[in-house]
Amino acid sequence: QVQLVESGGGSVQAGGSLRLSCTASSYIYSEGCMGWFRQSPGKEREGVATIYTAGRGTDYADSVKGRFTISRDNAANMINLEMNSLKPEDTAMYYCAAARGAWYECSLGGLSQNRIYFGYWGQGTQVTVSS
């Protein structure tokens, strides 16, 4: 069954904005940690941002800090990614993912240290930024 559903992708010119949303099954959302990842052709998948759904912890990749904002809506089992000042290099397929983890594990650092494992993934939504 569908567990994570992304929406909100599209095409925009450089400097523009897009908002991505991801709705999760309730048991997936309760795992504690959710995040956005992206992958463009020929490149490895990279973490964009994470958020601890039971608290206030967020983490961002350096490449998006100050431009992207991750947020959550617990009532809707949803996370969002507000993307501003978009650049052509932001063009990628964006994926929503979820993991079981505590607040101190829920970060891109925790992921790189193998302290958290994102086992649930959405189908992805395409973001294209033209120059």
Side-chain angles (χ1 to χ4, degrees):
Q1 69 275 18
V2 177
Q3 298 173 326
L4 292 167
V5 179
E6 303 101 333
S7 62
S11 297
V12 66
Q13 289 192 328
S17 299
L18 283 173
R19 179 183 175 92
L20 306 182
S21 295
C22 173
T23 302
S25 302
S26 58
Y27 79 93
I28 295 295
Y29 194 83
S30 67
E31 291 286 76
C33 184
M34 293 188 69
W36 288 97
F37 296 77
R38 66 186 181 186
Q39 187 169 22
S40 51
K43 294 187 178 181
E44 292 187 357
R45 186 173 61 197
E46 64 171 337
V48 175
T50 58
I51 188 165
Y52 181 57
T53 58
R56 301 172 64 180
T58 59
D59 192 27
Y60 297 90
D62 288 343
S63 58
V64 306
K65 280 181 181 176
R67 300 188 298 122
F68 291 11
T69 302
I70 190 170
S71 62
R72 57 182 171 83
D73 180 349
N74 289 354
N77 292 341
M78 178 187 291
I79 65 168
N80 302 296
L81 186 69
E82 190 75 36
M83 304 185 294
N84 298 315
S85 302
L86 282 161
K87 305 175 181 179
E89 50 264 43
D90 293 319
T91 295
M93 184 71 79
Y94 282 70
Y95 298 91
C96 174
R100 173 176 294 179
W103 63 268
Y104 52 87
E105 299 169 322
C106 185
S107 68
L108 297 178
L111 177 64
S112 66
Q113 295 165 17
N114 295 318
R115 287 160 47 187
I116 196 163
Y117 173 74
F118 284 86
Y120 303 98
W121 293 86
Q123 294 298 307
T125 185
Q126 179 67 38
V127 170
T128 302
V129 184
S130 58
S131 58

